[in-house]
Amino acid sequence: MRIRSKKSNGAASKLVAMAKKGSSKATIFFIFVSFILFCAFLPVFAPLPSFHSHSPHRSHRNTVNRKFEIASDRFWRDGEPFQIIGGDLHYFRVHPEYWEDRLLKAKALGLNTIQTYVPWNLHEPAPEKFVFEGFANIEAFLKLCHKLGLLVMIRPGPYICAEWDWGGFPGWFHSINPTPKPRSSDPTYLQLRSLEVEIVVTSSEIWLLSLKFKVERWWGNLLPKFVPLLYDNGGPIIMVQIENEFGSYGDDKAYLHHLVILARDHLGQDVILYTTDGGVRENLEKGSIRGDAVFSAVDFSTGDDPWPIFNLQKEFNAPGKSPPLSAEFYTGWLTHWGEKIATTDADFTAAALEKILQKNGSAVLYMAHGGTNFGFYSGANTGVDEADYKPDLTSYDYDAPIRESGDVDNSKFNAIRRVIARYSSVPLPSVPSNNEKGRYGPIHLQRKAFLFDTFDFTNSTNVFESETPMPMEYVGQLFGFVLYITEYRAKRGGRILLIPKLHDRAQVFISCPSEEDGATPTYVGTIERWLNSKLSLPDVKCHSNINLFILVENMGRVNYGAYIFDRKGILSSVYLDGEKVKGWKMFPIPLHNLNEMSTYNPITQASFSAFSEIRSSRKKLTYKHENTSKEPAFYSGHFSIDKSSQVMDTFISFSNWGKGIVFVNDFNIGRYWPLRGPQCNLYVPAPILKQGDNFLVILELESPDPELVVHTVSEPDFTCGSSGTSLHQL
């Protein structure tokens, strides 16, 4: 029930305090709201139905004679015992034109099931803006799995981890005040119903209560798409996961129960729901749902003895309802910037898998194929505290048997395939060949503009002003960069700059506007979240206040652990010599992300890139040592492919460059940082390229190659930086 319902602005939705006037109307209003919230929470504590109880909400009739179920501690497919030999392959990390290629290679590996996450932030990049096209066309991916004879285990979260930005949660959560508390029974996070009540106190005062509830709205748009694709309805989906490794994070059972009720409401009572938790008692106690309603699966380190863990798994499932399943059998591991590339031995991995399969256990390889963190979607982890920040690489190769570019001619693919062949119920398909790689020679670049030239600092309409710095999300910049600007008085001996809470990395510049050439921003240093040291600003003789520019980069929200509440930008006051600096301007920098179209792209129209703030009539700043300066700048170049048959996968090597992001034909292929390593080259899938001219745009943040050239190469390279000289064998 709603009173005068209307659409609200989800990105800025908030509960407005009603403290100005007390009245009988306000009293009635609060009683009404309390009643609504009470009714909304009743279902959370209702008992959960078993696998086969009748749905109180709606029925989904099985019109085909198919059945996937659990009995006698085994999986059963159409009345026959079934062993899941699966693998994770994430549709959002693979170009859609390559989905079939990667799935056929997974099938040739011997897999009969594909497991995939569903990232909420890709599908709802802005409040109530749902996207299911391009990289986000999950229905097309699932139908392709079905066409190729592969079953599917789907993991719709709402939290997914996955080394993906904020574990899949939308960044716009952070623009809401108060921010919803993810992974909890917080009503502003869970509920769908949009209750907006207006009470007019006077002609000029409106009290607005807006409770925009998130998870129900998201699943209400997503889960109905799965119904015709459920196995019992003739589709490929055999199981649907609830949350993800929740026992490693919390113990809010009301939250898990609510998700189960939501899933049953949309999917019916016959589909198998499952949880996945680490194979230790504490995690299973907190993350599983005892009884017959939800199947509890486990994961554990590769090489651990699986069978004691599978015996523990039985304690958290109903009798006869615990087929042994490792829902994440790790074929490799993730790598952060600054680390050695992680690898695992092929024969060791294959032998560990065989210990599961030889006793009729089931396993899902994490990963079968890793893919790429295109755009700004790579996640991050933390160590001992929030400041011990570890951002993930652009590559999500994961040392998986199917490599980032789809290559299968490697020892791990062959070793795992040999093991699976011994236990597969059907002969394995022949192995497809690797995709051809192209080398298009060196690409010579030209500097098109320094980043600071792209702003009109005096007349910009896209600027936010505040006494203190505002987080990136508050100015509508969910990914990438924000430029913070203020001014301070010159002081003999210089100044000491301190930013107590910075997420994640800042480059600092100063300028003296009163000098003839002093408007040129001069680089003075970098502050990083994981070091968070003070920065000395030089002594500058200036007859006016000195301009302070702080360019802050969001390097990916934390996706796992206790510190996943990871707002970005400058999150504290800024201090000079211990005194707070007041009076700030924030300039968003609108670079487009994965699966987004650039609304303005002057690089292809006027040999420039990415911003609508260019003023061609404005005098450009003067820079010295243009090819070696520390000022961020845009560079562009092009290369030609003569024939359509020559359009192939390639890699772009950034070995002599510093740090930045790259667009190929307006597609954001991700971050590079060879100075930190270990990744030197970025993968460019062939579907991004075309016959004829292909355009490359680079935003280099630090130090361009003095020759302004990049090279296209045919192989990945993980040997850059001081960390990249050797492999990290796990």
Side-chain angles (χ1 to χ4, degrees):
M1 178 178 179
R2 282 180 277 186
I3 298 178
R4 202 191 292 183
S5 175
K6 71 175 189 178
K7 186 176 180 181
S8 72
N9 182 352
S13 59
K14 54 180 71 174
L15 184 60
V16 180
M18 298 181 179
K20 288 190 175 181
K21 292 188 178 182
S23 69
S24 60
K25 289 185 178 180
T27 303
I28 295 171
F29 166 76
F30 280 114
I31 294 173
F32 172 74
V33 170
S34 300
F35 174 74
I36 292 296
L37 292 177
F38 173 75
C39 293
F41 273 98
L42 279 179
V44 172
F45 302 101
L48 295 177
S50 66
F51 284 140
H52 304 294
S53 63
H54 178 69
S55 170
H57 302 285
R58 62 172 67 94
S59 62
H60 304 286
R61 294 184 61 188
N62 180 2
T63 58
V64 293
N65 188 24
R66 287 158 60 92
K67 192 71 175 175
F68 194 90
E69 55 191 334
I70 295 174
S72 303
D73 288 334
R74 301 199 70 171
F75 295 109
W76 296 81
R77 180 185 183 184
D78 301 332
E80 298 293 330
F82 185 79
Q83 185 177 32
I84 294 175
I85 304 177
D88 265 82
L89 193 160
H90 301 156
Y91 62 96
F92 47 91
R93 284 183 160 125
V94 179
H95 195 286
E97 292 188 32
Y98 271 160
W99 285 346
E100 184 164 359
D101 174 81
R102 304 304 196 258
L103 290 172
L104 287 173
K105 288 170 178 174
K107 193 168 183 178
L109 182 61
L111 306 187
N112 56 33
T113 305
I114 296 297
Q115 183 171 249
T116 185
Y117 285 121
V118 183
W120 186 353
N121 50 11
L122 181 69
H123 291 278
E124 194 181 1
E128 300 188 67
K129 176 189 175 184
F130 293 99
V131 179
F132 292 99
E133 296 84 32
F135 276 76
N137 194 341
I138 186 171
E139 290 173 281
F141 178 79
L142 296 174
K143 290 175 182 177
L144 183 57
C145 291
H146 187 45
K147 171 188 168 184
L148 299 177
L150 290 162
L151 302 177
V152 174
M153 298 165 60
I154 198 140
R155 313 170 90 181
Y159 164 78
I160 67 169
C161 186
E163 290 71 64
W164 191 257
D165 186 85
W166 203 12
F169 289 126
W172 48 262
F173 273 20
H174 285 304
S175 68
I176 300 170
N177 188 20
T179 300
K181 183 181 178 183
R183 310 192 77 184
S184 75
S185 51
D186 171 17
T188 59
Y189 165 66
L190 275 183
Q191 304 282 338
L192 164 70
R193 300 172 186 86
S194 178
L195 174 64
E196 298 189 3
V197 183
E198 289 183 352
I199 297 182
V200 179
V201 179
T202 69
S203 59
S204 61
E205 293 179 299
I206 296 178
W207 291 347
L208 175 65
L209 174 65
S210 177
L211 303 179
K212 289 299 289 182
F213 299 123
K214 306 299 179 286
V215 173
E216 285 190 8
R217 185 181 70 199
W218 160 229
W219 273 16
N221 278 271
L222 175 69
L223 297 189
K225 297 179 183 297
F226 297 160
V227 173
L229 298 169
L230 298 176
Y231 185 84
D232 290 6
N233 293 338
I237 300 175
I238 57 172
M239 297 170 64
V240 178
Q241 183 172 287
I242 298 297
E243 242 274 348
N244 186 67
E245 297 181 322
F246 187 71
S248 301
Y249 176 79
D251 58 0
D252 189 339
K253 294 293 186 179
Y255 165 53
L256 295 180
H257 280 233
H258 191 80
L259 293 181
V260 173
I261 290 170
L262 282 179
R264 291 286 180 217
D265 185 48
H266 290 292
L267 302 175
Q269 301 304 314
D270 293 331
V271 66
I272 298 172
L273 303 181
Y274 70 110
T275 57
T276 300
D277 286 288
V280 296
R281 183 173 297 278
E282 180 183 3
N283 289 352
L284 286 165
E285 288 279 5
K286 294 192 295 184
S288 63
I289 299 174
R290 291 186 183 261
D292 194 22
V294 181
F295 167 62
S296 296
V298 292
D299 57 36
F300 44 85
S301 298
T302 302
D304 287 354
D305 186 350
W307 291 98
I309 299 173
F310 290 144
N311 288 333
L312 176 64
Q313 176 193 359
K314 284 187 175 184
E315 296 183 28
F316 295 88
N317 286 306
K321 299 287 188 177
S322 191
L325 171 63
S326 173
E328 291 189 8
F329 174 87
Y330 301 107
T331 60
W333 201 246
L334 61 102
T335 305
H336 304 115
W337 292 108
E339 297 177 348
K340 299 174 183 177
I341 190 68
T343 65
T344 56
D345 180 76
D347 291 333
F348 173 83
T349 303
L353 177 62
E354 186 158 27
K355 290 180 181 178
I356 296 173
L357 300 184
Q358 66 187 358
K359 294 183 179 180
N360 290 320
S362 293
V364 181
L365 310 183
Y366 193 97
M367 300 289 297
H369 170 58
T372 308
N373 294 317
F374 293 118
F376 296 113
Y377 277 116
S378 56
N381 290 287
T382 52
V384 294
D385 55 33
E386 186 179 18
D388 188 12
Y389 174 77
K390 303 174 182 181
D392 296 324
L393 301 183
T394 297
S395 172
Y396 199 62
D397 180 85
Y398 213 83
D399 197 31
I402 305 171
R403 309 314 298 265
E404 179 181 13
S405 61
D407 286 358
V408 293
D409 185 15
N410 62 76
S411 59
K412 185 168 288 184
F413 184 95
N414 294 331
I416 290 176
R417 187 174 189 270
R418 282 194 298 269
V419 167
I420 292 176
R422 290 197 279 270
Y423 302 97
S424 175
S425 60
V426 296
L428 303 192
S430 59
V431 179
S433 58
N434 292 342
N435 295 331
E436 289 189 77
K437 309 295 188 298
R439 302 180 67 167
Y440 304 107
I443 304 172
H444 295 276
L445 305 170
Q446 292 182 325
R447 195 198 71 249
K448 293 300 178 181
F450 285 97
L451 175 63
F452 298 122
D453 280 345
T454 68
F455 297 99
D456 186 340
F457 292 124
T458 57
N459 297 311
S460 175
T461 58
N462 191 26
V463 61
F464 295 79
E465 299 188 40
S466 175
E467 277 294 285
T468 57
M470 298 169 66
M472 294 177 69
E473 294 87 354
Y474 282 14
V475 301
Q477 189 67 45
L478 302 184
F479 298 94
F481 305 85
V482 165
L483 180 63
Y484 294 79
I485 300 178
T486 190
E487 58 183 38
Y488 65 94
R489 288 184 297 102
K491 179 181 177 182
R492 177 173 291 183
R495 295 286 199 117
I496 300 297
L497 174 68
L498 173 65
I499 309 177
K501 194 166 186 179
L502 169 73
H503 289 192
D504 298 306
R505 190 173 187 269
Q507 293 167 262
V508 181
F509 306 82
I510 59 173
S511 71
C512 176
S514 62
E515 299 297 322
E516 184 175 348
D517 63 348
T520 302
T522 301
Y523 173 78
V524 294
T526 297
I527 303 173
E528 294 172 323
R529 172 177 175 175
W530 47 95
L531 297 176
N532 199 19
S533 54
K534 297 178 181 179
L535 182 65
S536 296
L537 303 183
D539 185 355
V540 176
K541 294 180 180 179
C542 187
H543 298 296
S544 62
N545 283 345
I546 297 172
N547 290 331
L548 175 65
F549 303 82
I550 304 177
L551 178 64
V552 178
E553 179 182 5
N554 165 4
M555 293 195 63
R557 293 179 181 85
V558 174
N559 58 261
Y560 180 81
Y563 304 108
I564 64 170
F565 192 86
D566 191 20
R567 188 174 273 132
K568 295 300 184 180
I570 296 178
L571 307 181
S572 65
S573 295
V574 175
Y575 297 86
L576 284 175
D577 297 336
E579 296 182 0
K580 289 183 180 180
V581 181
K582 297 182 179 180
W584 290 85
K585 293 182 178 181
M586 280 67 62
F587 291 83
I589 302 177
L591 299 168
H592 60 278
N593 205 350
L594 174 68
N595 215 44
E596 293 178 351
M597 295 299 295
S598 176
T599 56
Y600 178 73
N601 187 3
I603 191 63
T604 56
Q605 301 171 22
S607 298
F608 194 63
S609 169
F611 294 100
S612 58
E613 290 287 337
I614 302 169
R615 298 293 186 269
S616 59
S617 61
R618 186 165 62 91
K619 181 180 178 181
K620 301 300 184 208
L621 303 179
T622 303
Y623 293 81
K624 300 177 181 179
H625 313 296
E626 293 180 346
N627 287 1
T628 57
S629 68
K630 282 278 192 176
E631 283 76 346
F634 288 95
Y635 301 83
S636 70
H638 69 95
F639 60 97
S640 182
I641 302 177
D642 295 332
K643 301 177 181 178
S644 60
S645 60
Q646 296 173 338
V647 176
M648 305 174 187
D649 289 357
T650 191
F651 293 84
I652 299 178
S653 172
F654 291 91
S655 293
N656 295 320
W657 291 71
K659 186 181 193 304
I661 58 173
V662 190
F663 299 85
V664 176
N665 291 334
D666 221 22
F667 182 95
N668 188 337
I669 65 171
R671 300 177 176 95
Y672 66 89
W673 197 7
L675 288 176
R676 182 63 56 93
Q679 184 174 0
C680 312
N681 305 345
L682 294 188
Y683 171 56
V684 183
I688 293 174
L689 304 177
K690 60 183 180 179
Q691 182 183 359
D693 277 340
N694 292 265
F695 294 91
L696 177 72
V697 177
I698 296 173
L699 172 57
E700 168 60 50
L701 299 171
E702 294 187 353
S703 52
D705 174 79
E707 303 299 322
L708 297 185
V709 64
V710 296
H711 296 269
T712 55
V713 296
S714 58
E715 296 179 346
D717 185 355
F718 295 99
T719 61
C720 280
S722 59
S723 62
T725 55
S726 60
L727 301 179
H728 180 199
Q729 185 74 45
L730 296 178

